[in-house]
Amino acid sequence: MTASANAKFKPRVFSGIQPTNHLQLGNYLGAVKRFVQMQDSGVETIYCIVDLHAITVWQNPEDLRNATRELAAGYIASGLDPKRSILFNQSQVPGHAELGWVFNCVARMGWMNRMTQFKDKAGKNAENASLGLYAYPALMAADILLYHATHVPVGEDQKQHVELTRDIAIKFNHDFKVDFFPVTQPVIEGTATRVMSLRDGTKKMSKSDPSDASRINLTDDADTIAKKFRKAKTDPDPLPETIDGLAGRPEARNLVNIYAALAEVSAETVIAEFAGKQFGVFKPALADLAVARLSPIAEEMARLMADPAEIDRILGDGAERADAIAQPILDQTYDIVGMVRSRRG
Ligand code: AMP
Ligand code: TRP
């Protein structure tokens, strides 16, 4: 982690994941695993289940509740300790929506029009997308800045949103002549910042891809994981002798990167071990490694999911601790903006 752009702010990490569908390997390697590493490095960490973001597209209410608890279980099973980190769901801390509104009034239409995630998600039918989907990045800026977070670990696809967060902080500070919000740094590191689909090495692995074979879900059993890797799209050549030999071979590169991230070694080390080997050798080794790493997580998730009341208790406790940080920052924001705050209690 590099120093904050703004030395006055103490290092604080914030990140979030949407409770939609099951966690997939890209979320785990690109996000959750790195959240845990940051927690273990001793810095203050706040991790959120962004349910308000999830409803920017239609969610069945019962599925949303389940996905929220399952994501909490996924975080904890991956090593997130709700005592050392703050873990909560966004809607239980009202400051997110409130600061989100203020930022809707700071962000410019021109900035929002450049957001590629909106274009991807709204597709050809942008007229029919929710207003929330369009405003989504301003709410994300609020998530981060409500805690004066200095560092945000995310996958590559979220870089543009963190840059918008920086623009919002800078404009707010400038418009009100204050030095109130930090200019947050995205933390996009490691070999798995963009895990690709197993069916198409040029497409991101995603929870929402219609093809289940395109991704490894954290809830997949050992047989399913092995089958998905066996069927993963590749080219007919053996693995190259050097990393440069992966150029123009997106599927091969993706599998090598996944192996490296799971084994916690560099892609060069993986190539050194498997140089000249066929995928018939590499894929089973990758499947074994993935099963060894992921099945303890899946088992722990299932154990945690058997006691949803305990998960809800953890999220409620986390929300109270998050709110204790957020509310004073929201109050100061309202003071800066010029709101009269005379209500007692
Ligand atoms: P989402 O599932 O869109 O809420 O994403 C949650 C987090 O996982 C974000 O930090 C994403 O950048 C990260 N993420 C999602 N898909 C991938 C992927 N295929 N590779 C790496 N990171 C990912
Ligand atoms: N937009 C992120 C995603 O789709 C989720 C998210 C919402 C987030 N708020 C955040 C990530 C704040 C980091 C920080 O993956």
Side-chain angles (χ1 to χ4, degrees), residues 15-20 22-32 34-35 50 53 71 75 117 121 136 140 152-159 187-188 192-197 203-208 254:
S15 198
I17 300 182
Q18 300 188 59
T20 47
H22 299 301
L23 277 174
Q24 41 85 6
L25 187 62
N27 298 131
Y28 175 68
L29 295 174
V32 183
R34 296 174 47 238
F35 297 178
V50 291
H53 278 96
L71 180 52
Y75 271 126
Q117 182 170 302
K121 285 200 177 182
Y136 175 119
M140 175 160 162
V152 179
V154 279
E156 182 66 41
D157 61 331
Q158 293 302 312
K159 187 166 185 237
V187 186
I188 303 170
T193 55
R194 192 168 169 82
V195 176
M196 309 309 279
S197 157
K203 241 172 79 181
K204 187 182 77 153
M205 185 180 286
S206 160
K207 291 172 193 160
S208 55
N254 186 40

Side-chain angles (χ1 to χ4, degrees), residues 147-165:
Y147 301 93
H148 280 180
T150 55
H151 295 82
V152 179
V154 279
E156 182 66 41
D157 61 331
Q158 293 302 312
K159 187 166 185 237
Q160 194 184 36
H161 288 162
V162 183
E163 279 163 1
L164 182 93
T165 302

Side-chain angles (χ1 to χ4, degrees), residues 16-331:
I17 300 182
Q18 300 188 59
T20 47
N21 307 317
H22 299 301
L23 277 174
Q24 41 85 6
L25 187 62
N27 298 131
Y28 175 68
L29 295 174
V32 183
K33 190 163 184 280
R34 296 174 47 238
F35 297 178
V36 174
Q37 285 165 346
M38 285 183 142
Q39 161 192 281
D40 293 346
S41 79
V43 64
E44 186 180 1
T45 42
I46 306 176
Y47 296 124
C48 189
I49 298 169
V50 291
D51 47 12
L52 296 173
H53 278 96
I55 60 166
T56 55
V57 295
W58 168 252
Q59 303 295 329
N60 173 289
E62 211 41 54
D63 292 347
L64 178 61
R65 250 186 297 274
N66 270 330
T68 300
R69 293 179 181 130
E70 188 181 288
L71 180 52
Y75 271 126
I76 298 167
S78 302
L80 200 140
D81 175 356
K83 291 203 180 64
R84 282 190 291 153
S85 292
I86 295 180
L87 174 63
F88 71 107
N89 58 313
Q90 189 183 25
S91 60
Q92 296 211 69
V93 178
H96 290 255
E98 292 184 63
L99 189 61
W101 178 259
V102 175
F103 287 169
N104 282 344
C105 303
V106 174
R108 305 289 94 184
M109 296 288 282
W111 303 358
M112 307 310 274
N113 287 337
R114 284 196 287 276
M115 294 296 114
T116 55
Q117 182 170 302
F118 176 78
K119 290 181 202 158
D120 291 348
K121 285 200 177 182
K124 292 191 186 69
N125 205 2
E127 285 288 310
N128 199 34
S130 74
L131 183 55
L133 190 66
Y134 188 68
Y136 175 119
L139 178 61
M140 175 160 162
D143 299 340
I144 296 165
L145 296 175
L146 186 58
Y147 301 93
H148 280 180
T150 55
H151 295 82
V152 179
V154 279
E156 182 66 41
D157 61 331
Q158 293 302 312
K159 187 166 185 237
Q160 194 184 36
H161 288 162
V162 183
E163 279 163 1
L164 182 93
T165 302
R166 294 162 66 90
D167 290 341
I168 288 178
I170 291 167
K171 181 163 166 57
F172 183 98
N173 288 345
H174 178 266
D175 288 354
F176 294 100
K177 299 183 180 55
V178 290
D179 183 17
F180 185 62
F181 286 117
V183 180
T184 306
Q185 312 242 346
V187 186
I188 303 170
E189 287 167 353
T191 45
T193 55
R194 192 168 169 82
V195 176
M196 309 309 279
S197 157
L198 299 181
R199 309 300 307 161
D200 177 353
T202 62
K203 241 172 79 181
K204 187 182 77 153
M205 185 180 286
S206 160
K207 291 172 193 160
S208 55
D209 192 309
S211 160
D212 191 58
S214 71
R215 64 180 161 263
I216 304 289
N217 302 304
L218 250 52
T219 48
D220 284 345
D221 62 25
D223 285 349
T224 309
I225 292 175
K227 196 162 119 206
K228 285 180 178 174
F229 278 124
R230 197 166 61 239
K231 290 198 166 168
K233 185 177 167 206
T234 41
D235 54 49
D237 295 337
L239 284 166
E241 302 289 330
T242 66
I243 203 93
D244 295 338
L246 291 172
R249 300 178 65 187
E251 284 86 13
R253 179 188 294 278
N254 186 40
L255 296 186
V256 168
N257 282 342
I258 292 174
Y259 192 105
L262 285 169
E264 299 184 5
V265 299
S266 68
E268 283 82 1
T269 306
V270 180
I271 288 293
E273 192 181 338
F274 290 96
K277 297 257 175 27
Q278 297 290 344
F279 281 106
V281 175
F282 182 63
K283 282 177 167 181
L286 175 57
D288 286 350
L289 175 63
V291 168
R293 291 285 189 275
L294 301 181
S295 58
I297 299 175
E299 277 166 33
E300 181 61 8
M301 277 175 77
R303 196 187 67 75
L304 292 162
M305 283 298 281
D307 189 358
E310 173 60 10
I311 294 179
D312 292 3
R313 192 198 62 72
I314 290 170
L315 294 177
D317 175 67
E320 277 174 29
R321 286 155 60 211
D323 195 56
I325 301 172
Q327 193 59 49
I329 292 178
L330 183 68
D331 288 348

